[in-house]
Amino acid sequence: WRPAFGADGGGDELLTFEQAKQRNVGMPPAAVLAEQQAAAARGQPVRAYRGAYYSCVATIMMVKSDGALTYDACGSPDCNKKVFQDHNYQWHCQKCQHVASEPDVRYIVNCVAADATASQWLSMFNDQALALFGRPAKDVKQLAAGGNAAAVTDILNSVVGKTYRMTVRARAEEYYGET
């Protein structure tokens, strides 16, 4: 087993993917649903349920390599939102109005992990992917931009087939009307 990666906080109980599904981990409690429905009925903003954490031991089966693995982010503390480059080659954050000459390149990686009971798509963000790959997102972006797809594939495949203890945040999301 490898050191844990994942979000800080929560997740002390070790569950399999199937146990988490059977226990409805990440589904909003009835009180939260009632509060959301009441807010919507009053025309007020509905606060999203942030989910619940659990720990699991799982093997990375595949890292999605098509699409973006990195994004250009705001370098302002506690922001991390995507930034855009203007005609003067400056990077602008629309959330906090921070302007920088270079973006903070961060990971956003999707993978499939499996345990003995099920498999699950997981999303990893910068801290988790950096711990997993051991390389800054900026390096991977430069390799990809330089046309070195083989090196990027090697980095992604370096974690495939390895087992980790993970802290997973589960939350219900709606996709085309299904939860």
Side-chain angles (χ1 to χ4, degrees):
W1 293 359
R2 307 269 186 233
F5 69 90
D8 292 335
D12 292 335
E13 186 175 12
L14 190 63
L15 300 175
T16 64
F17 287 138
E18 186 60 31
Q19 286 172 324
K21 181 179 177 182
Q22 288 174 352
R23 294 183 188 183
N24 290 321
V25 175
M27 295 298 287
V32 172
L33 287 173
E35 180 185 320
Q36 289 175 334
Q37 291 169 347
R42 292 188 303 266
Q44 296 174 330
V46 176
R47 189 177 340 152
Y49 178 63
R50 300 194 51 85
Y53 293 92
Y54 69 95
S55 292
C56 67
V57 175
T59 303
I60 303 292
M61 304 306 292
M62 187 264 298
V63 179
K64 187 176 178 185
S65 59
D66 58 339
L69 298 169
T70 65
Y71 71 100
D72 298 320
C74 179
S76 182
D78 300 323
C79 186
N80 300 328
K81 293 294 183 181
K82 187 174 181 177
V83 293
F84 300 93
Q85 191 174 34
D86 67 14
H87 62 281
N88 293 323
Y89 303 102
Q90 294 290 308
W91 295 87
H92 293 267
C93 177
Q94 293 180 338
K95 178 184 178 198
C96 71
Q97 306 308 313
H98 180 75
V99 178
S101 59
E102 286 197 27
D104 181 20
V105 180
R106 299 179 62 83
Y107 281 111
I108 184 163
V109 178
N110 294 307
C111 68
V112 174
D115 63 15
T117 65
S119 63
Q120 184 69 50
W121 277 98
L122 303 174
S123 296
M124 290 182 282
F125 297 96
N126 197 64
D127 295 343
Q128 297 82 24
L130 181 59
L132 197 64
F133 298 128
R135 301 208 37 184
K138 188 173 186 175
D139 291 357
V140 174
K141 181 181 178 180
Q142 287 173 343
L143 288 169
N148 199 341
V152 173
T153 300
D154 288 346
I155 292 167
L156 301 181
N157 286 340
S158 70
V159 300
V160 173
K162 293 184 180 175
T163 301
Y164 300 88
R165 182 180 174 124
M166 308 173 197
T167 300
V168 177
R169 181 176 76 170
R171 71 174 181 192
E173 292 184 349
E174 222 175 87
Y175 185 73
Y176 287 107
E178 293 185 24
T179 302

